[in-house]
Amino acid sequence: MTAEIFDRGYRQYGGERSGVPGAVKTLVKYSIRRSLGLGRSARFKIIPVAIILFSFVPAIVFVGLAALLPDEIGDNFLPSYAEYYGFITTTLYLFAAFIAPDLLCTDRRTGMLGVYLASPLDRRSYLGAKAISVAIMLGIVTIGPPLFLMIALVLEGSGPEGVDGFFKVGGQIILGGLVLAIVYTAVSFAVSAATDRVGTAIAATLGLLVGSSVLANVVVNTTDVTNNVLMLDLLQLPTELAFRIHGEIGNEEWLSISTTNLWLACIGIAIASALWVWSRYGPLLVRR
Amino acid sequence: MDSLVTAAAVAKSYGSFMALSDVTFTIEPGITGLLGANGTGKTTLLGMMLGLHQISGGELKVLGVDPYTEGHLIRARMGYAPEHHTLPGDIRAADFVHHVAELHGLPPREAKTRASDALWLVGLGEERFRPMGTMSTGQRQRVKLAQAIAHDPAVVLLDEPTDGLDPEQRDEMLRLIRTVATSFGISVILSSHLLDEVERVCDAAVIIGEGRTLAAGSLDALRGSGADVVLELDSASEAQVVAGHLTQKGLNHQLDGRKIVVRGDDETAFDIARDVCVAAGVSIHRLSRRRLSLEDVFLERAS
């Protein structure tokens, strides 16, 4: 004989509550799911899946070629870790431009921000969770494919040697990827904090990246200013630093700029973005 | 049981603008209406109760602690249903409620089960996997109520929960709110500008106006707070005769058709009104303490 409960009624919850760390973890998980289009209709999955696919495809091809045709491809066929950034920069710009606006602008526009601020999260932990989510998503593109490439280089015989070598190259890949992810997170966050409209934020992020590059290069090439002005080029700046982390020079025009200056510029962008975003969110009243 | 919220001379200013100047009240467990016209500081007060804004003066305690310094603890035990209807349209109701329950500290599996239960309880069991963008205003209001109660809060703040609902949906929502308080044991603070709604569903009310407390207390106390007596006679002519006698006795009163509101301490007014009617030889249709509506209280205190 079986019984079925039709009305469970309302049950009290007497268990532990995970507090602020749990809320941050939940928001990070939810934001990443949202960015990947999980739990949403198919059209929301197209862009993230396509971008991740495009960033991984070259690495997967290189691994395949190195595994299947090791003799035919030769010793110098595979790109270096730094050179691989050339394959992913465009997808990275697009990813940066699409993710942060969807996560930040949508919350303000739909009033979800009010719901979040009525949970254990406050403005600081909310923004921190969102920044972590965007950085993780960008990190998938900036760190994942070069790690794949490492497999191809190992198969080709030109990969890192010994445990020390793996740790060194692995560290460079992670650090370089983090620099790219953090700088682009900072740029797209700053833009997304300025408008509630997702479309406007996407266009403005792309415009800022491309516009800064054009402006910096025009100024340096048409005037006598120092090459340090090139650091205003938001497209190239983090990539150049990522090259230096791998011990390479990305662009000859940037040779005269010291690595210290590149670090300072990238850190400056992250701090300036954080201050700007806080200036937008700090005085924000709870929206009803 | 301890008070849910106590405010003593709470003030809040933004630069030179004084949003709240002297707000004093106590909210006890049950359903309390937070009343006031738009722009009177209700939102600011809600923000301070949630610990999102620091008070500029006075003292505010929510669940016994300072909401600004212990905000995360307060918010973990509070549910909040915002007024706006523009929740993310592409998210399914069950996912949304699950997410909010997890945000309030519930383990994922528990949050998922309770999200489903909460949606059944508000009457959206069959609709729980629909994206919120495809739902009607009434359904979205229920989703907001479900996400506010799913994590078993001690108190829920409902901001204009009947906004945009037709009369039938409004009755149903008020019934649900009553159920939340009486059957689920969750106290409710209902922010509204609709006096009759608060009157129908609440046990107590706090009326805010011009940045200060106009009135606060149980509905019975507020509605009986007029110390006057209502004397109702069989006809307007008899009422005029009695009014003349009252004037002679020096009693302040107001004549309205066959009804007279006798001002003054109710015990004395009762006796005098009765004696005057006996002296005038008219029969009393009704003699009772004056019961104010919330609207009367609001208008009286505001003026």
Side-chain angles (χ1 to χ4, degrees):
Chain A
M1 196 167 159
T2 56
E4 196 173 343
I5 298 170
F6 286 101
D7 183 6
R8 295 166 65 103
Y10 188 80
R11 294 173 298 123
Q12 308 284 325
Y13 176 73
E16 295 248 328
R17 291 179 190 258
S18 56
V20 179
V24 169
K25 188 177 150 196
T26 299
L27 184 55
V28 169
K29 190 174 74 177
Y30 175 83
S31 300
I32 289 173
R33 279 179 56 84
R34 182 175 172 82
S35 297
L36 290 171
L38 301 176
R40 305 167 82 186
S41 60
R43 69 190 173 95
F44 292 104
K45 296 178 177 71
I46 295 170
I47 290 178
V49 168
I51 286 175
I52 292 173
L53 209 63
F54 282 131
S55 65
F56 273 89
V57 161
I60 292 167
V61 170
F62 290 136
V63 171
L65 288 175
L68 301 172
L69 308 166
D71 299 329
E72 285 82 349
I73 61 173
D75 285 346
N76 296 318
F77 176 76
L78 296 178
S80 69
Y81 300 106
E83 283 168 347
Y84 192 84
Y85 292 131
F87 291 99
I88 59 169
T89 44
T90 307
T91 53
L92 181 60
Y93 305 149
L94 287 172
F95 219 22
F98 276 96
I99 291 174
D102 185 45
L103 293 184
L104 285 188
C105 302
T106 307
D107 283 352
R108 291 202 306 278
R109 201 171 166 79
T110 61
M112 271 302 285
L113 182 61
V115 175
Y116 285 127
L117 295 184
S119 77
L121 296 168
D122 58 14
R123 290 172 178 79
R124 201 170 286 124
S125 47
Y126 165 80
L127 289 169
K130 288 287 178 177
I132 291 168
S133 314
V134 178
I136 288 175
M137 288 299 293
L138 294 182
I140 292 173
V141 173
T142 59
I143 297 172
L147 284 175
F148 245 80
L149 182 69
M150 191 160 73
I151 299 171
L153 287 165
V154 169
L155 291 173
E156 189 199 37
S158 52
E161 287 176 12
V163 177
D164 288 354
F166 269 102
F167 273 114
K168 186 188 171 200
V169 174
Q172 287 171 330
I173 288 172
I174 290 168
L175 188 59
L178 280 178
V179 164
L180 287 163
I182 289 170
V183 171
Y184 290 122
T185 297
V187 171
S188 60
F189 242 61
V191 174
S192 302
T195 174
D196 286 356
R197 294 185 173 277
V198 175
T200 306
I202 292 171
T205 304
L206 290 172
L208 181 64
L209 290 173
V210 176
S212 68
S213 179
V214 171
L215 184 72
N217 282 287
V218 167
V219 169
V220 168
N221 291 327
T222 57
T223 64
D224 296 330
V225 295
T226 162
N227 271 12
N228 280 328
V229 173
L230 282 171
M231 287 191 291
L232 292 174
D233 178 351
L234 297 174
L235 280 184
Q236 186 61 31
L237 171 70
T239 314
E240 184 64 34
L241 181 55
F243 266 78
R244 303 280 176 99
I245 288 168
H246 287 283
E248 297 180 35
I249 298 292
N251 192 320
E252 286 193 0
E253 271 190 310
W254 290 64
L255 258 175
S256 59
I257 303 171
S258 73
T259 304
T260 307
N261 281 352
L262 293 177
W263 272 111
L264 290 174
C266 288
I267 292 168
I269 286 169
I271 291 173
S273 167
L275 292 174
W276 162 250
V277 172
W278 185 248
S279 78
R280 299 285 297 173
Y281 276 80
L284 204 68
L285 288 174
V286 181
R287 207 183 111 184
R288 296 170 59 203
Chain B
M1 195 181 273
D2 293 339
S3 301
L4 296 176
V5 184
T6 53
V10 167
K12 178 67 187 172
S13 59
Y14 297 99
S16 59
F17 174 68
M18 203 70 172
L20 296 172
S21 57
D22 180 16
V23 174
T24 300
F25 61 81
T26 300
I27 295 180
E28 303 292 345
I31 310 179
T32 302
L34 183 60
L35 281 165
N38 289 330
T40 50
K42 279 182 297 166
T43 302
T44 304
L45 195 54
L46 286 183
M48 292 194 300
M49 283 186 206
L50 288 166
L52 302 175
H53 315 308
Q54 194 168 15
I55 58 174
S56 308
E59 189 182 55
L60 181 66
K61 297 268 186 205
V62 178
L63 301 175
V65 297
D66 180 345
Y68 191 70
T69 55
E70 307 285 344
H72 63 284
L73 295 177
I74 300 287
R75 293 192 295 272
R77 299 303 316 278
M78 277 183 129
Y80 171 64
E83 181 189 2
H84 58 83
H85 307 303
T86 52
L87 295 168
D90 53 329
I91 303 297
R92 292 179 298 199
D95 292 342
F96 172 65
V97 178
H98 172 195
H99 176 48
V100 178
E102 249 193 281
L103 278 173
H104 283 84
L106 268 58
R109 186 170 293 181
E110 182 75 20
K112 190 172 187 178
T113 312
R114 293 185 67 93
S116 185
D117 289 351
L119 285 162
W120 275 103
L121 288 167
V122 299
L124 286 177
E126 302 287 352
E127 314 286 337
R128 65 191 189 281
F129 295 119
R130 267 178 60 186
M132 291 187 288
T134 66
M135 290 182 158
S136 68
T137 305
Q139 288 171 323
R140 283 203 294 271
Q141 288 285 28
R142 284 162 185 252
V143 173
K144 285 193 285 181
L145 181 62
Q147 62 83 27
I149 63 170
H151 61 96
D152 188 27
V155 54
V156 287
L157 303 180
L158 306 179
D159 205 348
E160 307 284 359
T162 58
D163 189 39
L165 302 186
D166 63 34
E168 203 175 313
Q169 291 172 327
R170 191 172 158 228
D171 287 348
E172 182 57 22
M173 178 54 79
L174 292 178
R175 190 193 61 74
L176 274 172
I177 292 169
R178 194 79 218 164
T179 306
V180 165
T182 55
S183 302
F184 305 169
I186 301 171
S187 291
V188 176
I189 297 176
L190 173 69
S191 171
S192 177
H193 65 275
L194 300 172
L195 299 167
D196 66 316
E197 194 169 273
V198 170
E199 209 154 11
R200 278 174 58 187
V201 78
C202 294
D203 308 314
V206 174
I207 304 176
I208 306 287
E210 294 168 356
R212 60 191 177 85
T213 317
L214 297 179
S218 73
L219 282 201
D220 284 343
L222 287 174
R223 286 188 296 206
S225 62
D228 309 332
V229 167
V230 178
L231 174 60
E232 200 174 327
L233 302 160
D234 288 338
S235 67
S237 58
E238 285 180 350
Q240 270 183 338
V241 173
V242 171
H245 280 77
L246 289 170
T247 308
Q248 283 174 5
K249 292 271 182 188
L251 218 62
N252 188 10
H253 62 276
Q254 192 182 344
L255 180 64
D256 181 14
R258 60 191 184 96
K259 200 185 285 181
I260 304 169
V261 176
V262 185
R263 308 278 185 204
D265 169 63
D266 54 347
E267 290 303 320
T268 315
F270 252 101
D271 294 344
I272 295 175
R274 181 200 59 213
D275 294 347
V276 162
C277 289
V278 172
V282 298
S283 54
I284 297 171
H285 186 80
R286 183 167 68 98
L287 179 61
S288 64
R289 197 175 169 205
R290 186 182 174 208
R291 298 284 293 176
L292 298 173
S293 68
L294 270 184
E295 191 175 354
D296 295 330
V297 175
F298 184 78
L299 293 171
E300 210 167 88
R301 301 297 175 94
S303 62

